[in-house]
Each structure stands twice: as structure tokens, then as C-alpha cells.
Amino acid sequence: MTPRASSEVTATSRHYVDRLFDPDPQKVLQGVIDMKNAVIGNNKQKANLIVLGAVPRLLYLLQQPTSSLELRTECAVVLGSLAMGTENNIKSLVDCHIIPALLQGLLCQDLKFIEACLRCLRTVFISPVTPVQLLFTDPTVIPHLMSLLSRSQRTQEYITQIFSHCCKTPEHQMILYNHGAIQNIAPLLMSPSYKVQMQALKCFSVLAYENTQVSMTLVNVLVDGELLTQVFVKMMQRDRPIEMQLTAAKCLTYMCRAGAIRTDDTCIIMKTLPCLVRMCSKERLLEERVEGAETLAYLMEPDVELQRIASITDHLVAMLADYFKYPSSVSAIADIKRLDHDLKHAHELRQAAFKLYASLGANDEDIRKKVRHRL
């Protein structure tokens, strides 16, 4: 971009920011709407507006009791759009205390405004640069979010996504558990919205991971008269999307490893294990193969019988040998970006295969021989 073009962009950006300070509320609203349209898909414009101080002003307008609901909602939408830029944008928003401002906004009764605040919070929280602890600082936040789950499909999708991304420690698991996460989120597995179902499923996988208390509770949960474990089994059926099959398999794997499901239970031997083996096949995307292999390794690590069954299931040992042949032909991958992505995952793929080989051969010399023969 030429210096002149660059200064024109900055001048335009300054004009947008200046309009936020107009004494006429109607002009301010129109300014925010114009800003919303200007930032869509334009990272340069987003960065400029942040540098020029748009964020504190938008947050001020969002929190002002005298601002109209429409203005407050449009401010939340623009902030959500700014958050969808770079990681630096997110850092700037967090530094301006966007999280407490939006959480406070959730106390409003207007659904459209609540959804706009939640959408923005979701975007901020799923960024790796946002400290997840900010969700748990105020003890009133989690119970309030639980109470908003029933408001709409959007609130369900955004809140469960926030929970699944922010639940990182045993302490976080117990905070969510103690505030009724299981009974509030379980019905969402039956939602007509696939996005809501998936986020609810992801919540259960992070809640159950290495947590005996949560896992023991989950085995007894009924959803529409059906045991939760059976709901997970249905979600692993071949006609379900791969992401759903894999996440449901992770839920059952984590519940099994936490001691809530026996390793010889049919839902593990006949459903979870074969599903994870399917995820290791070369028809699957690289990311799916990595996740499938790592989850399978974790499932059977302590159990000789599962290792034996896995070693004779669907040519698993032969399948894993393919993990070391990737990418098979560099010349076949013309796109450098794609090649870079694939090489990164090829390393992850090999690591996942080694983990799985280690798990497979952990306790049985016959399986070790089979593995050595393939390597």
C-alpha cells in the first residue's frame, strides 16, 4: 500500500471514530452501523480503529444506561467483529476490559443484546491469547450463564462453546459441575441445532477428562429417558458427522479411563474402540487421524485386553504404518501453504502413531512383535 493510500485509510478510520463522539445520539448510532459495515473482512480497518481508540468509546456507549438498546447492541456487534481479526486485536480488547463489560451486559433482559454480547465473548474466549481465568473471576457469572442457556439456540451455542474452551483445570470442571452443568447441558444433546449438539458434546468431553466424580455422575444421567452413554453410542454411528463420532468417542473414552465405565463394557469394546480405529484410516483428514490415534492410545493404555482387540481390528497395525509415509509425494502438493500445514501434521501424525504403538505393545510381547515387523 502506498503512503498516500495508507494515510487515506487512517483518515477514513479517524472519521469513523470521530462520529462516535457526536452529541446527536442518532448520528452516533448511524456511525456505529457504518463502522460495522466497514470492518467486515477488513483486518487493516479493524487494526486502525483499535489504534485510534474506538474500543474504549464503544465500550462506554455499550455500558451507558442512556444509550438506546439498538445502539448498545450495534456496539456489541462491532466489538465482536473487531475480535474476529488478529490475536493482537484480541489482546487490545482484553486490555480495555471488554470481558467484564460484556459480562455485565448479560444482566440486561433484551435477548438480541444478550446474544450480541455472548457472540463477542465467545470470539474473545476461544482465542489462545485470552486468559480463561477471566470467566471464573466473578462467582456470579457461571450461574448466570447457566440461567441463560434456556433463552435461545444462540445462547446455548455460544455459552457451551465458552464453557468447553475455558474449562482447563480440575477446579474449572468442579465449578461448572457444582453449578449444574450436567443437568443444564444434557438436554442440549437433543437440540435440533447441530452446532448446539456439538458444543454440548464438547462440554462433556472436557468435563469428564480425568475426572472421576463427573464421569461417575454422567453414567447415571438420562436424556429423554435414555442413558447418556447410549446417546453417545448413537452419536458414534457411521452416518453421523466425523466430528460428532470422534467427540462422542472421546466422551466415552474419558469416562472409561476415569473408572466410570468398565473396559469390557460393550459400549467400549463394540462401539468406542472400533469407532476410534475407523478414525485412524487414511480416508480421514490428517487432524482426525491424529486425534483418533491419540484418543485410542489413551483408551487402551492400561488395558491388555483392549490392546489385543485393537491389534486385530481393521488392520490397525498396518494402518499406522501409513502414518510414517506422510506426505507421500511432495510434488503432488502444489500449494506451499498446504504443504506447510501437511508437514506440521505429518509430524503430529508420527507422534500419534508412536503413542499408539507404545500403548498397543505396552503389555503383550506378541503385539510388540507384530508392531516391530511393521516398522
Side-chain angles (χ1 to χ4, degrees), residues 45 56 90 135 143 159 205 221 225 237 242 244 270-271 311 317 329 332 355 362 368:
Q45 186 70 275
I90 300 265
L135 184 68
I159 291 168
S205 76
V221 170
Q237 287 170 354
I242 294 299
M244 179 174 274
M270 307 299 289
K271 302 293 181 182
S311 71
V317 177
S329 162
K355 275 184 198 167
R368 274 199 289 274

Side-chain angles (χ1 to χ4, degrees), residues 25-178:
Q26 208 46 45
K27 285 185 180 166
V28 173
L29 174 62
Q30 194 52 53
V32 174
I33 292 167
D34 290 346
M35 185 184 281
K36 174 181 74 177
N37 296 328
V39 297
I40 294 169
N42 188 336
N43 277 349
K44 181 74 182 161
Q45 186 70 275
K46 289 175 188 180
N48 280 335
L49 290 170
I50 289 170
V51 168
L52 293 168
V55 177
R57 183 62 182 170
L58 288 166
L59 285 171
Y60 172 79
L61 294 169
L62 179 129
Q63 295 175 92
Q64 269 299 91
T66 51
S67 295
S68 69
L69 252 180
E70 190 183 359
L71 175 59
R72 294 173 74 195
T73 305
E74 291 293 351
C75 286
V77 171
V78 174
L79 288 163
S81 198
L82 293 176
M84 291 182 91
T86 63
E87 288 187 351
N88 278 339
N89 291 11
I90 300 265
K91 276 184 188 155
S92 304
L93 292 170
V94 172
D95 290 345
C96 289
H97 307 292
I98 190 173
I99 291 173
L102 291 170
L103 289 172
Q104 189 66 28
L106 298 180
L107 297 172
C108 172
Q109 289 304 303
D110 184 77
L111 182 57
K112 209 173 167 196
F113 178 60
I114 288 172
E115 288 177 348
C117 287
L118 282 172
R119 191 185 307 117
C120 186
L121 280 166
R122 182 271 312 262
T123 307
V124 172
F125 272 122
I126 64 174
S127 166
V129 301
T130 304
V132 296
Q133 197 53 41
L134 292 172
L135 184 68
F136 301 96
T137 312
D138 179 345
T140 65
V141 167
I142 300 297
H144 185 61
L145 287 171
M146 292 291 177
S147 74
L148 292 175
L149 277 171
S150 58
R151 292 293 300 270
S152 72
Q153 276 185 15
R154 285 201 180 103
T155 65
Q156 290 166 356
E157 181 194 336
Y158 302 147
I159 291 168
T160 46
Q161 197 171 358
I162 290 167
F163 286 163
S164 64
H165 272 273
C166 294
C167 185
K168 301 285 187 197
T169 68
E171 185 196 6
H172 295 160
Q173 288 174 324
M174 294 323 292
I175 290 170
L176 292 172
Y177 175 81
N178 290 331

Side-chain angles (χ1 to χ4, degrees), residues 209 246 249-250 253-254 257 276-277 279-280 286-301 316 320 323 345 347-357 359:
Y209 182 66
L246 193 44
K250 283 169 98 168
T253 294
Y254 297 160
R257 281 300 306 266
L276 290 169
V277 171
M279 296 302 141
C280 297
L286 283 179
E287 291 91 329
E288 292 160 0
R289 289 165 77 185
V290 169
E291 215 173 327
E294 288 181 341
T295 307
L296 182 54
Y298 182 68
L299 172 65
M300 62 190 186
E301 194 177 20
L316 175 66
L320 287 179
Y323 278 43
H345 282 290
H347 173 64
E348 287 175 14
L349 212 49
R350 278 190 281 274
Q351 277 193 318
F354 276 127
K355 275 184 198 167
L356 197 37
Y357 274 140
S359 259

